[in-house]
Amino acid sequence: MMDLTSRIRFQSGSHVPVLCILVLLVDCSCSSEFRGELFTAMSGCSEGVILPVSPVNSDVVASAGQCLANCLEDSSCMSVNFCEDSQSGQVCHRLPETSNGTCYDLQAAVGCVYLEPVNVCQHGGTFNDSMSKCDCSGDFTGPYCERRYRDCSEAHKYGMRGKTSNHRIISIQPLNAPTEYEVECLLASGGWTVVEERKSSCQNDYNKTWDEYKTGWTTPCNRWLGLDALHYISNQGIATFDMSVRGSGALSGQYYYSNFKIGDEVDGYTLTYTGSFQHTSKASGNGFEYGVASKSINGQRFATWDRPDSSGCSVCDGAGWWYGTDCPETNLHKKFDTSVSSMNMAQWPDNNGVLEKVAFIKTEIKVIW
């Protein structure tokens, strides 16, 4: 066994796949092939030597991999002496110091190998000795900086703030999502991920295909995150959806939907929520439930012209939206036109329940972590 373990050591600055680290912590009976991805030889001083300091703890382990894993989980451990004992087997001595990468402080010890965890942080992260954790950079987080933030609210929770304003563009990868998404973050009030922004001064055609609504789009002044991303973000925790609307008359305010979720594609990206409430000082009405019950979109599937709903509303409205058994009067993907003579345009109720024509919308989602 010493033929292999006497020559292993963490390699400084190596990019260790997170999957390998997780396997190491859970199942430490590592194969030689697996160890080769994690360790490399410490030239000239790794075989038959120890760092002669008093250990903070010693325990019997199954392998050198388990010894190093135990050290990484112990904030007082900086390095280890891993030794063969004729009675106990393989013993891991956790040490409070390091050799500083040299052989000069080591002493000969038959059947032992000195192992020193160096930088296990990925994606440019650095190990913080005083905190015994990785300090991550950019959009990465996790014990080893191994993953993207799940959304803007998690980024805010772990300290991300805007550089010159509350706005910041980052890459996220929601829980269970197979890919990353570039999103706009509003890093205030707990961190919000922008779902949609639409202005009357921009292109007005939202009669797009199912695939376009699925993957999303960004123009110089319009943004639609995409149904796939919205599904993954909304299903990784308790989410709140914020609808901000401005338009004609007295329409200028916000409305919130709690425990908001979007189903997957197989489910038709069904929209559901369990509660709703107005902004405390600047409110609009509840457009998702405006009018008779058949016009409510809570519990309804998304539809487009190329995947229409059974009532044909997506075709006659000329826009992708959530439709029930009756065409809603508050489809925010219809055309924007606030002129008096305009017909079949996007509308939303003001705080008094009066339908007004829409000129601007911005929607955001926040997950409680």
Side-chain angles (χ1 to χ4, degrees), residues 120-233:
V120 295
C121 306
Q122 300 178 57
H123 301 113
T126 56
F127 193 78
N128 186 327
D129 288 329
S130 63
M131 301 295 292
S132 295
K133 70 178 189 66
C134 292
D135 291 332
C136 305
S137 60
D139 310 335
F140 293 95
T141 188
Y144 305 102
C145 308
E146 74 275 9
R147 65 172 179 84
R148 297 282 191 182
Y149 285 113
R150 304 297 191 200
D151 70 339
C152 298
S153 53
E154 189 190 39
H156 180 275
K157 178 181 178 180
Y158 289 110
M160 180 178 284
R161 299 293 184 269
K163 294 180 179 178
T164 57
S165 68
N166 287 326
H167 297 256
R168 190 163 176 172
I169 304 296
I170 70 170
S171 292
I172 65 168
Q173 187 161 8
L175 187 65
N176 298 321
T179 187
E180 298 174 359
Y181 303 101
E182 186 177 85
V183 300
E184 179 186 1
C185 289
L186 303 183
L187 294 165
S189 303
W192 294 82
T193 304
V194 175
V195 175
E196 180 171 17
E197 184 169 11
R198 187 180 179 203
K199 306 171 184 177
S200 59
S201 58
C202 298
Q203 61 86 16
N204 231 354
D205 182 15
Y206 271 55
N207 196 21
K208 297 180 180 291
T209 65
W210 179 271
D211 286 342
E212 287 175 300
Y213 274 105
K214 173 183 175 178
T215 58
W217 60 81
T218 301
T219 73
C221 52
N222 282 345
R223 177 184 293 271
W224 169 249
L225 180 58
L227 291 166
D228 255 2
L230 188 52
H231 160 67
Y232 286 114
I233 293 172

Side-chain angles (χ1 to χ4, degrees), residues 75-96:
S75 61
S76 63
C77 179
M78 295 292 106
S79 60
V80 299
N81 289 325
F82 177 69
C83 300
E84 292 278 7
D85 186 276
S86 59
Q87 295 181 338
S88 302
Q90 302 174 92
V91 180
C92 180
H93 303 284
R94 284 176 257 166
L95 311 178

Side-chain angles (χ1 to χ4, degrees), residues 286-301:
N286 179 4
F288 282 175
E289 298 177 28
Y290 184 84
V292 297
S294 61
K295 293 180 180 292
S296 171
I297 70 170
N298 192 4
Q300 302 302 333
R301 297 164 65 94

Side-chain angles (χ1 to χ4, degrees), residues 292-296 300 309-313 322-328:
V292 297
S294 61
K295 293 180 180 292
S296 171
Q300 302 302 333
D309 57 294
S310 58
S311 300
C313 295
W322 293 270
Y323 296 98
T325 57
D326 200 356
C327 302

